[in-house]
Structure formats: C-alpha cells, structure tokens
Amino acid sequence: MSTIAVLVVLLLVLVGFLVVGALAYAVYRRPVLTQPLTVALAGAAVLVAVVTAVVTAGAQ
C-alpha cells in the first residue's frame, strides 16, 4: 500500500474512534436511547467493515 493509502486508513480509524466515543457518550448521557456498550460496539463494527473495505480496495 502506498503512503497515502496508509494515511487515509489511519485518518479513518481516528475519526472512527471519535464517532464511537461520541455515540457512547451520547447514549451514556441519555440512557433511554439504548445501552452504551451496544451502541459503541455497533459503531466499532461498522468502522471495522469500512476499514476492511478500504484496505482491500487499496491492496488491489
């Protein structure tokens, strides 16, 4: 993979961590939405799927 692709994946991971953290914090502040761990794990699963797709596309 090129340096640009690695930097894009790193940026995507960092932004993904911010999104997962924001989801967990929002649900923590308003527990009526759902359990915080479930939302954070769902966000993390989506992040893993996106990163896998980007890495796979970059390797080809």
Side-chain angles (χ1 to χ4, degrees):
M1 278 183 15
S2 68
T3 305
I4 287 275
V6 171
L7 290 174
V8 167
V9 169
L10 178 63
L11 182 63
L12 183 62
V13 168
L14 291 175
V15 170
F17 281 141
L18 284 172
V19 169
V20 169
L23 285 173
Y25 179 73
V27 173
Y28 175 76
R29 296 294 290 170
R30 305 219 183 258
V32 74
L33 298 176
T34 187
Q35 294 182 7
L37 187 59
T38 305
V39 172
L41 289 176
V46 170
L47 172 68
V48 167
V50 170
V51 169
T52 302
V54 168
V55 169
T56 303
Q60 293 179 354

